[in-house]
Amino acid sequence: MPGAFNGLTARMMADLNFQATYISGAALSASRGVPDIGILGLENFTQLIEDVYVSSNLPIIADADTGFGEGEMCSRTVFAYNKAGAAGLHIEDQEFPKRCGHLDGKTLITIEDMKLKVKICADVRDKHSNGDFIVYAGADMIFPEGLQNTHEFEEVAQKLRNHKKDVYLLANMTEFGKTESIIFQQFSDMKYSCVIYPVSTLRIAMGAVQRFLVDLQKNGHATKSSLDSMLSRKDLYELLNYKPGEQYEYPSPKESKDNNISK
């Protein structure tokens, strides 16, 4: 599940036949020019969820930070995410202001407080989505964050399955964090249910933008030298399902998909 930081990247994933996508709080925050420390609010997240869903119709797992507050906000978050088009969310057991899970210095809330948050989220899920909307962080799936290697991923998976045989697991394969580079097949072999690549598309895109801007500032070259690295106008229009001179229908995803991934 590659991360989508805007509607266009999600649309490209659908075009390339990915089955689902992920919305990262870190990628959203960075795309808005701020760090991932809880500065953005619920409305910022739901707007991106709607953009991604309308553009791609892909099932979406969306980061919900710490639920944007206590129980009342957790309740509102599940309702709003479901309404915006997400298929599920995860919340963290950190104190606010939170930090990226791959950074040191995090402080966790108590187990009882986290259990209460999960219960509130699950109650709203059942009330407003017939149980189809997925709540992570303990209710439907576990997201162990900041593990370092396959041994730790295997250990977590085994201990959780000793507790509950049919537990679902999400793995985070982010770059430049605590986790070594692990290929998708290894996660599959360890029976992880899905693997997110939360910030990869943003990092690749912005790395290319940075190299282009440095070259433009330093050498003043015409953009002609960078054309091979660009998405052409033709390809962009095809990706958007847009034909100049013809009526455009909104929304216009590649094909209709069910946004319920609980099946």
Side-chain angles (χ1 to χ4, degrees), residues 151-213:
H151 173 73
E152 292 187 359
F153 278 99
E154 287 176 338
E155 182 179 14
V156 167
Q158 185 58 53
K159 288 185 175 180
L160 288 172
R161 290 197 174 96
N162 288 341
H163 175 71
K164 183 181 179 183
K165 185 177 180 180
D166 59 346
V167 67
Y168 295 97
L169 296 169
L170 181 150
N172 179 8
M173 191 58 262
T174 192
E175 306 83 16
F176 312 112
K178 293 180 178 295
T179 307
E180 66 182 13
S181 181
I182 302 172
I183 64 172
F184 180 81
Q185 186 59 50
Q186 289 177 286
F187 284 117
S188 179
D189 292 341
M190 292 184 285
K191 300 190 182 334
Y192 275 74
S193 312
C194 51
V195 184
I196 59 172
Y197 301 81
V199 196
S200 307
T201 55
L202 176 78
R203 287 178 172 136
I204 289 170
M206 294 311 299
V209 169
Q210 183 182 56
R211 288 188 291 274
F212 166 73
L213 292 175

Side-chain angles (χ1 to χ4, degrees), residues 30 36 47 52 76 98 109 122 127 205 219 231 234 237:
D36 180 27
Q47 181 60 65
V52 167
R76 184 186 173 202
K98 55 142 300 198
I109 63 175
K127 183 177 180 180
N219 301 312
L231 189 68
K234 176 178 178 295
Y237 285 176

Side-chain angles (χ1 to χ4, degrees), residues 18 43 52 71 97 103 116 155 181 215:
F18 282 92
E43 288 76 13
V52 167
L103 296 179
L116 178 59
E155 182 179 14
S181 181
D215 181 68

Side-chain angles (χ1 to χ4, degrees), residues 211-231:
R211 288 188 291 274
F212 166 73
L213 292 175
V214 168
D215 181 68
L216 184 64
Q217 176 77 309
K218 182 178 179 180
N219 301 312
H221 291 158
T223 59
K224 183 178 180 180
S225 62
S226 300
L227 292 181
D228 288 344
S229 301
M230 294 184 183
L231 189 68

Side-chain angles (χ1 to χ4, degrees), residues 119-166:
K119 182 182 185 303
I120 290 170
C121 290
D123 287 346
V124 177
R125 170 201 65 196
D126 294 341
K127 183 177 180 180
H128 293 287
S129 75
N130 295 318
D132 289 336
F133 187 84
I134 297 172
V135 177
Y136 293 87
D140 292 299
M141 181 180 284
I142 296 292
F143 176 2
E145 176 68 310
L147 304 185
Q148 299 187 50
N149 50 52
T150 55
H151 173 73
E152 292 187 359
F153 278 99
E154 287 176 338
E155 182 179 14
V156 167
Q158 185 58 53
K159 288 185 175 180
L160 288 172
R161 290 197 174 96
N162 288 341
H163 175 71
K164 183 181 179 183
K165 185 177 180 180
D166 59 346

